[in-house]
Amino acid sequence: MSTVKRDVKRSTSGKSPTFQIRITPELKAQFEVAAKDAGMSLGNWLKELGRKELEHLGGGAGLLKI
């Protein structure tokens, strides 16, 4: 049994706000495979992807350090 990686940057105010998007079932399935391969939940995988993209963009003025 694999262990799911948990987000180490947890919210200090309880539950974080939800974020909903519409994607095709095929894209969701691809995301789920990638998350599973990384040993992460889909939500944490997407957060990590977003953080990496922000770093790639330079994390410059106006971007939060999360």
Side-chain angles (χ1 to χ4, degrees), residues 7 9 16 42-52:
D7 190 358
K9 297 175 180 147
S16 23
L42 179 57
N44 284 337
W45 184 81
L46 287 167
K47 285 188 274 187
E48 186 65 24
L49 181 68
R51 288 182 182 119
K52 286 179 182 176

Side-chain angles (χ1 to χ4, degrees), residues 36-66:
K36 183 178 179 184
D37 289 348
M40 304 173 85
S41 69
L42 179 57
N44 284 337
W45 184 81
L46 287 167
K47 285 188 274 187
E48 186 65 24
L49 181 68
R51 288 182 182 119
K52 286 179 182 176
E53 183 60 19
L54 288 174
E55 283 180 21
H56 174 74
L57 294 173
L63 295 179
L64 283 175
K65 290 286 184 184
I66 332 175

Side-chain angles (χ1 to χ4, degrees), residues 19-25 27-28 31:
F19 178 78
Q20 296 179 351
I21 60 171
R22 292 187 185 269
I23 57 174
T24 64
L27 182 57
K28 182 179 183 219
F31 284 175

